[in-house]
CSV table of all heavy atoms in Angstrom, one decimal:
chain,number,residue,atom,x,y,z
G,671,MET,N,-45.2,9.0,-13.0
G,671,MET,CA,-44.1,8.1,-13.3
G,671,MET,C,-42.8,9.0,-13.5
G,671,MET,O,-43.0,10.0,-14.2
G,671,MET,CB,-44.4,7.2,-14.4
G,671,MET,CG,-43.3,6.3,-14.7
G,671,MET,SD,-43.9,5.0,-15.8
G,671,MET,CE,-42.4,4.3,-16.3
G,672,LEU,N,-41.8,8.7,-13.1
G,672,LEU,CA,-40.6,9.5,-13.3
G,672,LEU,C,-39.9,9.1,-14.6
G,672,LEU,O,-39.8,7.9,-15.0
G,672,LEU,CB,-39.4,9.2,-12.2
G,672,LEU,CG,-39.6,9.7,-10.8
G,672,LEU,CD1,-38.6,9.2,-9.9
G,672,LEU,CD2,-39.6,11.2,-10.9
G,673,SER,N,-39.5,10.1,-15.3
G,673,SER,CA,-38.8,10.0,-16.5
G,673,SER,C,-37.3,9.7,-16.2
G,673,SER,O,-36.9,10.0,-15.2
G,673,SER,CB,-39.0,11.1,-17.6
G,673,SER,OG,-38.3,12.3,-17.0
G,674,ASP,N,-36.5,9.4,-17.2
G,674,ASP,CA,-35.1,9.2,-17.0
G,674,ASP,C,-34.5,10.6,-16.7
G,674,ASP,O,-33.7,10.6,-15.9
G,674,ASP,CB,-34.4,8.7,-18.3
G,674,ASP,CG,-34.8,7.2,-18.5
G,674,ASP,OD1,-35.2,6.5,-17.6
G,674,ASP,OD2,-34.4,6.7,-19.6
G,675,ASP,N,-35.0,11.6,-17.4
G,675,ASP,CA,-34.4,13.0,-17.1
G,675,ASP,C,-34.8,13.4,-15.7
G,675,ASP,O,-34.0,14.1,-15.0
G,675,ASP,CB,-35.0,14.0,-18.2
G,675,ASP,CG,-34.4,13.8,-19.4
G,675,ASP,OD1,-33.4,13.2,-19.6
G,675,ASP,OD2,-35.0,14.2,-20.5
G,676,ASP,N,-36.0,13.1,-15.2
G,676,ASP,CA,-36.4,13.5,-13.8
G,676,ASP,C,-35.5,12.7,-12.8
G,676,ASP,O,-35.1,13.4,-11.8
G,676,ASP,CB,-37.8,13.1,-13.6
G,676,ASP,CG,-38.8,13.8,-14.4
G,676,ASP,OD1,-38.6,15.0,-14.8
G,676,ASP,OD2,-40.0,13.3,-14.6
G,677,LEU,N,-35.2,11.5,-13.1
G,677,LEU,CA,-34.4,10.7,-12.2
G,677,LEU,C,-33.0,11.3,-12.1
G,677,LEU,O,-32.3,11.4,-11.1
G,677,LEU,CB,-34.4,9.2,-12.5
G,677,LEU,CG,-33.8,8.3,-11.5
G,677,LEU,CD1,-34.3,8.5,-10.2
G,677,LEU,CD2,-33.9,6.9,-12.0
G,678,ALA,N,-32.5,11.5,-13.4
G,678,ALA,CA,-31.1,12.1,-13.4
G,678,ALA,C,-31.0,13.4,-12.7
G,678,ALA,O,-30.0,13.7,-12.0
G,678,ALA,CB,-30.7,12.3,-14.9
G,679,GLU,N,-31.9,14.3,-12.8
G,679,GLU,CA,-31.9,15.5,-12.1
G,679,GLU,C,-32.0,15.4,-10.5
G,679,GLU,O,-31.3,16.0,-9.8
G,679,GLU,CB,-33.1,16.4,-12.5
G,679,GLU,CG,-33.1,17.8,-12.0
G,679,GLU,CD,-31.8,18.7,-12.5
G,679,GLU,OE1,-31.4,18.4,-13.6
G,679,GLU,OE2,-31.4,19.4,-11.6
G,680,LYS,N,-32.8,14.4,-10.1
G,680,LYS,CA,-32.9,14.1,-8.7
G,680,LYS,C,-31.5,13.6,-8.2
G,680,LYS,O,-31.1,14.0,-7.1
G,680,LYS,CB,-34.1,13.1,-8.4
G,680,LYS,CG,-34.2,12.8,-7.0
G,680,LYS,CD,-35.4,12.0,-6.7
G,680,LYS,CE,-35.6,11.6,-5.3
G,680,LYS,NZ,-35.5,12.6,-4.4
G,681,VAL,N,-30.9,12.7,-8.9
G,681,VAL,CA,-29.7,12.1,-8.4
G,681,VAL,C,-28.6,13.3,-8.5
G,681,VAL,O,-27.8,13.3,-7.5
G,681,VAL,CB,-29.2,11.0,-9.5
G,681,VAL,CG1,-27.7,10.6,-9.1
G,681,VAL,CG2,-30.1,9.8,-9.2
G,682,LYS,N,-28.6,14.1,-9.4
G,682,LYS,CA,-27.7,15.2,-9.4
G,682,LYS,C,-27.8,16.1,-8.1
G,682,LYS,O,-26.8,16.5,-7.6
G,682,LYS,CB,-27.9,16.2,-10.6
G,682,LYS,CG,-26.8,16.3,-11.5
G,682,LYS,CD,-27.1,17.4,-12.6
G,682,LYS,CE,-27.2,16.7,-14.0
G,682,LYS,NZ,-27.4,17.7,-15.0
G,683,LYS,N,-29.0,16.4,-7.8
G,683,LYS,CA,-29.2,17.2,-6.6
G,683,LYS,C,-28.8,16.5,-5.3
G,683,LYS,O,-28.2,17.0,-4.4
G,683,LYS,CB,-30.7,17.5,-6.4
G,683,LYS,CG,-31.2,18.6,-7.5
G,683,LYS,CD,-32.7,18.9,-7.4
G,683,LYS,CE,-33.0,19.9,-8.4
G,683,LYS,NZ,-34.6,20.1,-8.3
G,684,GLU,N,-29.0,15.2,-5.2
G,684,GLU,CA,-28.6,14.4,-4.0
G,684,GLU,C,-27.1,14.3,-4.0
G,684,GLU,O,-26.6,14.4,-2.9
G,684,GLU,CB,-29.2,13.0,-4.2
G,684,GLU,CG,-30.7,12.9,-4.1
G,684,GLU,CD,-31.3,13.2,-2.7
G,684,GLU,OE1,-30.5,13.0,-1.6
G,684,GLU,OE2,-32.3,13.8,-2.5
G,685,VAL,N,-26.4,14.1,-5.1
G,685,VAL,CA,-25.0,14.0,-5.1
G,685,VAL,C,-24.4,15.4,-4.7
G,685,VAL,O,-23.5,15.5,-3.8
G,685,VAL,CB,-24.4,13.7,-6.5
G,685,VAL,CG1,-22.9,13.9,-6.6
G,685,VAL,CG2,-24.8,12.2,-6.8
G,686,ALA,N,-25.0,16.5,-5.1
G,686,ALA,CA,-24.6,17.8,-4.7
G,686,ALA,C,-24.7,18.0,-3.2
G,686,ALA,O,-23.8,18.6,-2.5
G,686,ALA,CB,-25.3,18.9,-5.5
G,687,GLU,N,-25.8,17.6,-2.6
G,687,GLU,CA,-26.0,17.7,-1.2
G,687,GLU,C,-25.0,16.8,-0.4
G,687,GLU,O,-24.6,17.2,0.6
G,687,GLU,CB,-27.5,17.2,-0.9
G,687,GLU,CG,-27.8,17.3,0.6
G,687,GLU,CD,-27.7,18.7,1.1
G,687,GLU,OE1,-27.7,19.7,0.4
G,687,GLU,OE2,-27.7,18.9,2.3
G,688,MET,N,-24.8,15.5,-0.8
G,688,MET,CA,-23.8,14.7,-0.2
G,688,MET,C,-22.4,15.4,-0.2
G,688,MET,O,-21.7,15.3,0.7
G,688,MET,CB,-23.8,13.3,-0.9
G,688,MET,CG,-25.0,12.4,-0.5
G,688,MET,SD,-24.9,10.7,-1.0
G,688,MET,CE,-25.1,10.9,-2.7
G,689,ASP,N,-22.1,15.9,-1.4
G,689,ASP,CA,-20.8,16.6,-1.5
G,689,ASP,C,-20.7,17.8,-0.5
G,689,ASP,O,-19.6,18.0,0.0
G,689,ASP,CB,-20.5,17.1,-3.0
G,689,ASP,CG,-20.2,15.9,-3.9
G,689,ASP,OD1,-20.0,14.7,-3.5
G,689,ASP,OD2,-20.1,16.2,-5.1
G,690,ARG,N,-21.7,18.5,-0.4
G,690,ARG,CA,-21.8,19.6,0.5
G,690,ARG,C,-21.6,19.1,2.0
G,690,ARG,O,-20.9,19.8,2.7
G,690,ARG,CB,-23.1,20.4,0.3
G,690,ARG,CG,-23.2,21.8,1.1
G,690,ARG,CD,-24.4,22.4,1.0
G,690,ARG,NE,-25.6,21.7,1.7
G,690,ARG,CZ,-25.7,21.6,3.0
G,690,ARG,NH1,-24.8,22.2,3.9
G,690,ARG,NH2,-26.7,21.0,3.6
G,691,GLN,N,-22.2,18.0,2.3
G,691,GLN,CA,-22.1,17.6,3.7
G,691,GLN,C,-20.9,16.7,4.1
G,691,GLN,O,-20.6,16.7,5.3
G,691,GLN,CB,-23.4,16.7,4.0
G,691,GLN,CG,-24.7,17.4,3.9
G,691,GLN,CD,-25.9,16.5,4.2
G,691,GLN,OE1,-25.7,15.3,4.4
G,691,GLN,NE2,-27.0,17.1,4.0
G,692,ASN,N,-20.2,16.3,3.1
G,692,ASN,CA,-19.1,15.4,3.4
G,692,ASN,C,-17.8,15.9,2.8
G,692,ASN,O,-17.8,16.6,1.7
G,692,ASN,CB,-19.3,13.9,2.8
G,692,ASN,CG,-20.6,13.2,3.4
G,692,ASN,OD1,-20.5,12.9,4.5
G,692,ASN,ND2,-21.6,13.2,2.7
G,693,LYS,N,-16.6,15.6,3.4
G,693,LYS,CA,-15.4,15.9,3.0
G,693,LYS,C,-14.9,15.0,1.9
G,693,LYS,O,-14.8,13.8,2.2
G,693,LYS,CB,-14.4,16.1,4.2
G,693,LYS,CG,-13.0,16.5,3.7
G,693,LYS,CD,-12.2,16.8,4.9
G,693,LYS,CE,-10.8,17.1,4.6
G,693,LYS,NZ,-10.5,18.3,3.8
G,694,ILE,N,-14.5,15.4,0.8
G,694,ILE,CA,-14.0,14.6,-0.3
G,694,ILE,C,-12.5,14.4,-0.1
G,694,ILE,O,-11.8,15.4,0.2
G,694,ILE,CB,-14.2,15.1,-1.7
G,694,ILE,CG1,-15.8,15.2,-1.9
G,694,ILE,CG2,-13.6,14.3,-2.8
G,694,ILE,CD1,-16.2,16.0,-3.1
G,695,CYS,N,-11.9,13.2,-0.1
G,695,CYS,CA,-10.5,13.0,0.1
G,695,CYS,C,-9.6,13.7,-1.0
G,695,CYS,O,-10.0,13.9,-2.0
G,695,CYS,CB,-10.2,11.5,0.0
G,695,CYS,SG,-10.9,10.5,1.3
G,696,GLU,N,-8.4,14.1,-0.5
G,696,GLU,CA,-7.6,14.7,-1.5
G,696,GLU,C,-7.1,13.8,-2.6
G,696,GLU,O,-7.2,12.6,-2.4
G,696,GLU,CB,-6.2,15.2,-0.7
G,696,GLU,CG,-6.5,16.1,0.4
G,696,GLU,CD,-6.9,15.5,1.8
G,696,GLU,OE1,-6.7,14.2,1.9
G,696,GLU,OE2,-7.7,16.1,2.6
G,697,LYS,N,-6.8,14.4,-3.7
G,697,LYS,CA,-6.4,13.6,-4.9
G,697,LYS,C,-5.3,12.6,-4.6
G,697,LYS,O,-5.2,11.5,-5.2
G,697,LYS,CB,-6.1,14.4,-6.1
G,697,LYS,CG,-7.3,15.0,-6.6
G,697,LYS,CD,-7.0,15.9,-7.9
G,697,LYS,CE,-8.2,16.5,-8.5
G,697,LYS,NZ,-8.0,17.1,-9.8
G,698,GLY,N,-4.3,13.0,-3.8
G,698,GLY,CA,-3.2,12.2,-3.5
G,698,GLY,C,-3.3,11.2,-2.3
G,698,GLY,O,-2.4,10.4,-2.0
G,699,SER,N,-4.5,11.1,-1.7
G,699,SER,CA,-4.6,10.3,-0.6
G,699,SER,C,-4.6,8.8,-1.0
G,699,SER,O,-4.9,8.4,-2.2
G,699,SER,CB,-5.9,10.5,0.2
G,699,SER,OG,-7.0,9.9,-0.5
G,700,LYS,N,-4.2,7.9,-0.1
G,700,LYS,CA,-4.1,6.5,-0.4
G,700,LYS,C,-5.5,5.9,-0.8
G,700,LYS,O,-5.6,5.0,-1.6
G,700,LYS,CB,-3.5,5.7,0.7
G,700,LYS,CG,-4.3,5.7,2.0
G,700,LYS,CD,-3.5,4.8,3.1
G,700,LYS,CE,-4.2,4.7,4.3
G,700,LYS,NZ,-3.6,3.9,5.4
G,701,TYR,N,-6.6,6.5,-0.2
G,701,TYR,CA,-7.9,6.1,-0.4
G,701,TYR,C,-8.4,6.4,-1.9
G,701,TYR,O,-8.9,5.6,-2.6
G,701,TYR,CB,-8.9,6.5,0.5
G,701,TYR,CG,-8.5,6.2,2.0
G,701,TYR,CD1,-8.0,7.1,2.9
G,701,TYR,CD2,-8.5,4.9,2.4
G,701,TYR,CE1,-7.6,6.7,4.1
G,701,TYR,CE2,-8.2,4.4,3.7
G,701,TYR,CZ,-7.6,5.4,4.5
G,701,TYR,OH,-7.3,5.0,5.8
G,702,THR,N,-8.1,7.7,-2.2
G,702,THR,CA,-8.4,8.1,-3.6
G,702,THR,C,-7.7,7.3,-4.7
G,702,THR,O,-8.2,6.9,-5.6
G,702,THR,CB,-8.1,9.6,-3.8
G,702,THR,OG1,-8.9,10.3,-2.9
G,702,THR,CG2,-8.4,10.1,-5.2
G,703,LYS,N,-6.4,7.0,-4.4
G,703,LYS,CA,-5.5,6.2,-5.3
G,703,LYS,C,-6.1,4.9,-5.5
G,703,LYS,O,-6.2,4.3,-6.6
G,703,LYS,CB,-4.2,6.2,-4.9
G,703,LYS,CG,-3.3,7.4,-5.0
G,703,LYS,CD,-2.0,7.4,-4.4
G,703,LYS,CE,-1.2,8.7,-4.5
G,703,LYS,NZ,0.2,8.5,-4.0
G,704,ARG,N,-6.5,4.2,-4.4
G,704,ARG,CA,-7.1,2.9,-4.4
G,704,ARG,C,-8.4,2.9,-5.1
G,704,ARG,O,-8.6,2.0,-6.0
G,704,ARG,CB,-7.4,2.4,-2.9
G,704,ARG,CG,-8.0,1.0,-3.0
G,704,ARG,CD,-7.9,0.4,-1.5
G,704,ARG,NE,-8.3,-1.0,-1.6
G,704,ARG,CZ,-9.5,-1.5,-1.2
G,704,ARG,NH1,-10.3,-0.6,-0.6
G,704,ARG,NH2,-9.8,-2.7,-1.2
G,705,LEU,N,-9.3,3.9,-4.9
G,705,LEU,CA,-10.5,4.0,-5.7
G,705,LEU,C,-10.3,4.2,-7.2
G,705,LEU,O,-11.0,3.4,-8.1
G,705,LEU,CB,-11.4,5.1,-5.2
G,705,LEU,CG,-12.7,5.4,-5.9
G,705,LEU,CD1,-13.7,4.2,-5.7
G,705,LEU,CD2,-13.3,6.6,-5.3
G,706,LEU,N,-9.3,5.0,-7.5
G,706,LEU,CA,-9.0,5.2,-8.9
G,706,LEU,C,-8.5,3.9,-9.6
G,706,LEU,O,-8.8,3.5,-10.8
G,706,LEU,CB,-8.0,6.3,-9.1
G,706,LEU,CG,-8.5,7.7,-8.8
G,706,LEU,CD1,-7.3,8.7,-8.8
G,706,LEU,CD2,-9.5,8.1,-9.7
G,707,ASN,N,-7.7,3.1,-8.8
G,707,ASN,CA,-7.2,1.8,-9.3
G,707,ASN,C,-8.4,0.8,-9.5
G,707,ASN,O,-8.4,0.1,-10.6
G,707,ASN,CB,-6.1,1.3,-8.4
G,707,ASN,CG,-5.5,0.1,-8.9
G,707,ASN,OD1,-5.0,0.0,-10.1
G,707,ASN,ND2,-5.5,-1.0,-8.2
G,708,LEU,N,-9.2,0.9,-8.6
G,708,LEU,CA,-10.4,-0.1,-8.7
G,708,LEU,C,-11.3,0.3,-9.8
G,708,LEU,O,-12.0,-0.6,-10.4
G,708,LEU,CB,-11.2,-0.1,-7.4
G,708,LEU,CG,-10.5,-0.8,-6.2
G,708,LEU,CD1,-11.2,-0.5,-4.8
G,708,LEU,CD2,-10.3,-2.3,-6.3
G,709,THR,N,-11.5,1.5,-10.2
G,709,THR,CA,-12.5,2.0,-11.1
G,709,THR,C,-11.8,2.3,-12.5
G,709,THR,O,-12.4,2.8,-13.4
G,709,THR,CB,-13.3,3.2,-10.6
G,709,THR,OG1,-12.4,4.2,-10.4
G,709,THR,CG2,-14.0,2.8,-9.4
G,710,LYS,N,-10.5,1.9,-12.6
G,710,LYS,CA,-9.7,2.2,-13.8
G,710,LYS,C,-10.4,1.7,-15.1
G,710,LYS,O,-10.8,0.4,-15.0
G,710,LYS,CB,-8.3,1.6,-13.8
G,710,LYS,CG,-7.5,2.1,-14.9
G,710,LYS,CD,-6.1,1.4,-14.8
G,710,LYS,CE,-5.4,1.7,-13.5
G,710,LYS,NZ,-4.1,1.2,-13.4
G,711,GLY,N,-10.8,2.4,-16.1
G,711,GLY,CA,-11.4,2.0,-17.3
G,711,GLY,C,-12.9,2.0,-17.3
G,711,GLY,O,-13.6,1.7,-18.2
G,712,ILE,N,-13.5,2.3,-16.1
G,712,ILE,CA,-15.0,2.3,-15.9
G,712,ILE,C,-15.4,3.7,-16.1
G,712,ILE,O,-15.2,4.5,-15.1
G,712,ILE,CB,-15.4,1.7,-14.6
G,712,ILE,CG1,-14.9,0.3,-14.5
G,712,ILE,CG2,-16.9,1.8,-14.5
G,712,ILE,CD1,-15.2,-0.4,-13.1
G,713,LYS,N,-16.0,4.1,-17.1
G,713,LYS,CA,-16.3,5.5,-17.4
G,713,LYS,C,-17.9,5.7,-17.3
G,713,LYS,O,-18.3,6.8,-17.1
G,713,LYS,CB,-15.7,6.0,-18.7
G,713,LYS,CG,-14.2,5.9,-18.9
G,713,LYS,CD,-13.5,6.7,-17.9
G,713,LYS,CE,-12.0,6.6,-18.1
G,713,LYS,NZ,-11.3,7.1,-16.9
G,714,ASP,N,-18.6,4.7,-17.7
G,714,ASP,CA,-20.1,4.8,-17.7
G,714,ASP,C,-20.7,3.5,-17.4
G,714,ASP,O,-20.1,2.5,-17.5
G,714,ASP,CB,-20.5,5.4,-19.1
G,714,ASP,CG,-20.3,4.4,-20.2
G,714,ASP,OD1,-19.2,4.4,-20.8
G,714,ASP,OD2,-21.3,3.6,-20.5
G,715,ALA,N,-22.0,3.6,-17.1
G,715,ALA,CA,-22.9,2.5,-16.9
G,715,ALA,C,-24.1,2.7,-17.8
G,715,ALA,O,-24.9,3.6,-17.5
G,715,ALA,CB,-23.2,2.3,-15.5
G,716,ASN,N,-24.3,1.9,-18.7
G,716,ASN,CA,-25.4,2.0,-19.7
G,716,ASN,C,-25.6,3.4,-20.2
G,716,ASN,O,-26.7,3.9,-20.3
G,716,ASN,CB,-26.7,1.6,-18.9
G,716,ASN,CG,-26.7,0.1,-18.5
G,716,ASN,OD1,-26.1,-0.7,-19.2
G,716,ASN,ND2,-27.2,-0.1,-17.3
G,717,GLY,N,-24.5,4.0,-20.6
G,717,GLY,CA,-24.5,5.3,-21.2
G,717,GLY,C,-24.5,6.6,-20.2
G,717,GLY,O,-24.4,7.7,-20.6
G,718,ILE,N,-24.5,6.2,-18.9
G,718,ILE,CA,-24.5,7.2,-17.9
G,718,ILE,C,-23.1,7.4,-17.4
G,718,ILE,O,-22.5,6.5,-16.9
G,718,ILE,CB,-25.5,6.9,-16.7
G,718,ILE,CG1,-26.9,6.8,-17.2
G,718,ILE,CG2,-25.4,8.0,-15.6
G,718,ILE,CD1,-27.9,6.3,-16.2
G,719,ASN,N,-22.6,8.6,-17.5
G,719,ASN,CA,-21.2,9.0,-17.0
G,719,ASN,C,-21.1,8.8,-15.5
G,719,ASN,O,-22.0,9.2,-14.8
G,719,ASN,CB,-20.8,10.4,-17.4
G,719,ASN,CG,-20.6,10.6,-18.9
G,719,ASN,OD1,-20.4,9.6,-19.6
G,719,ASN,ND2,-20.8,11.8,-19.4
G,720,LEU,N,-20.0,8.1,-15.1
G,720,LEU,CA,-19.9,7.9,-13.8
G,720,LEU,C,-18.7,8.7,-13.3
G,720,LEU,O,-17.7,8.9,-13.9
G,720,LEU,CB,-19.4,6.4,-13.5
G,720,LEU,CG,-20.5,5.3,-13.9
G,720,LEU,CD1,-20.0,3.9,-13.7
G,720,LEU,CD2,-21.8,5.6,-13.1
G,721,ILE,N,-18.9,9.2,-12.0
G,721,ILE,CA,-17.9,10.0,-11.3
G,721,ILE,C,-17.6,9.4,-10.0
G,721,ILE,O,-18.6,9.2,-9.1
G,721,ILE,CB,-18.3,11.5,-11.1
G,721,ILE,CG1,-18.6,12.2,-12.5
G,721,ILE,CG2,-17.3,12.3,-10.4
G,721,ILE,CD1,-19.2,13.5,-12.4
G,722,SER,N,-16.4,8.9,-9.7
G,722,SER,CA,-16.0,8.4,-8.5
G,722,SER,C,-15.4,9.4,-7.6
G,722,SER,O,-14.5,10.0,-7.9
G,722,SER,CB,-15.1,7.1,-8.8
G,722,SER,OG,-15.7,6.2,-9.6
G,723,LYS,N,-15.8,9.3,-6.3
G,723,LYS,CA,-15.2,10.2,-5.3
G,723,LYS,C,-15.0,9.4,-4.1
G,723,LYS,O,-15.9,8.6,-3.6
G,723,LYS,CB,-16.2,11.3,-5.0
G,723,LYS,CG,-16.5,12.3,-6.2
G,723,LYS,CD,-17.4,13.3,-5.8
G,723,LYS,CE,-17.9,14.1,-6.9
G,723,LYS,NZ,-18.9,15.1,-6.6
G,724,CYS,N,-13.9,9.8,-3.3
G,724,CYS,CA,-13.7,9.1,-2.1
G,724,CYS,C,-14.0,10.0,-0.9
G,724,CYS,O,-13.6,11.2,-0.9
G,724,CYS,CB,-12.2,8.7,-2.0
G,724,CYS,SG,-11.7,7.7,-0.7
G,725,ILE,N,-15.0,9.6,-0.1
G,725,ILE,CA,-15.5,10.4,0.9
G,725,ILE,C,-14.9,10.0,2.3
G,725,ILE,O,-14.8,8.9,2.6
G,725,ILE,CB,-17.1,10.3,1.1
G,725,ILE,CG1,-17.8,10.6,-0.2
G,725,ILE,CG2,-17.6,11.1,2.2
G,725,ILE,CD1,-17.7,12.0,-0.7
G,726,ARG,N,-14.5,11.1,3.1
G,726,ARG,CA,-14.0,10.8,4.4
G,726,ARG,C,-15.1,10.9,5.4
G,726,ARG,O,-15.9,11.8,5.4
G,726,ARG,CB,-13.0,11.9,4.8
G,726,ARG,CG,-11.7,11.9,3.9
G,726,ARG,CD,-10.7,12.9,4.4
G,726,ARG,NE,-10.0,12.3,5.6
G,726,ARG,CZ,-9.0,12.8,6.1
G,726,ARG,NH1,-8.5,14.0,5.6
G,726,ARG,NH2,-8.4,12.2,7.1
G,727,GLN,N,-15.2,9.7,6.1
G,727,GLN,CA,-16.3,9.7,7.1
G,727,GLN,C,-15.8,10.0,8.5
G,727,GLN,O,-14.7,9.7,8.8
G,727,GLN,CB,-16.9,8.3,7.1
G,727,GLN,CG,-17.7,7.9,5.9
G,727,GLN,CD,-19.0,8.6,5.8
G,727,GLN,OE1,-19.7,8.8,6.8
G,727,GLN,NE2,-19.3,9.0,4.6
G,728,LYS,N,-16.6,10.7,9.3
G,728,LYS,CA,-16.2,10.9,10.7
G,728,LYS,C,-16.4,9.6,11.4
G,728,LYS,O,-17.4,9.0,11.3
G,728,LYS,CB,-17.0,12.1,11.2
G,728,LYS,CG,-16.8,13.3,10.5
G,728,LYS,CD,-17.8,14.4,11.2
G,728,LYS,CE,-17.7,15.7,10.4
G,728,LYS,NZ,-18.6,16.7,10.8
G,729,SER,N,-15.4,9.4,12.3
G,729,SER,CA,-15.6,8.1,13.1
G,729,SER,C,-15.9,8.4,14.5
G,729,SER,O,-15.9,9.4,14.9
G,729,SER,CB,-14.3,7.2,13.0
G,729,SER,OG,-13.1,8.0,12.9
């Protein structure tokens, strides 16, 4: 059975891999601004810190 710490470590590794594979939008892009507006005031979920990133997808 996975502990909370095990799951947190797995998620950290997955996020790092996704960040490596994808391009993160610039801070001033309209998409990043929209995401920041939508998530304003949302800092955590059940005590877990949240980090929002806007990813550019290849079309």
Side-chain angles (χ1 to χ4, degrees):
M671 185 168 166
L672 285 174
S673 70
D674 288 348
D675 290 338
D676 292 338
L677 188 55
E679 188 61 33
K680 181 169 179 50
V681 168
K682 238 188 246 186
K683 288 179 183 177
E684 292 294 326
V685 168
E687 181 62 19
M688 285 189 287
D689 286 352
R690 188 184 68 72
Q691 292 178 5
N692 297 290
K693 181 172 174 66
I694 299 171
C695 292
E696 299 80 24
K697 289 186 179 185
S699 80
K700 66 180 182 179
Y701 302 109
T702 299
K703 288 177 183 177
R704 182 168 187 251
L705 178 63
L706 291 173
N707 187 50
L708 289 170
T709 59
K710 190 183 303 182
I712 302 171
K713 303 295 181 198
D714 69 272
N716 299 323
I718 298 172
N719 292 333
L720 299 177
I721 300 171
S722 299
K723 298 176 187 178
C724 191
I725 304 293
R726 293 184 82 169
Q727 292 288 320
K728 296 177 184 175
S729 34

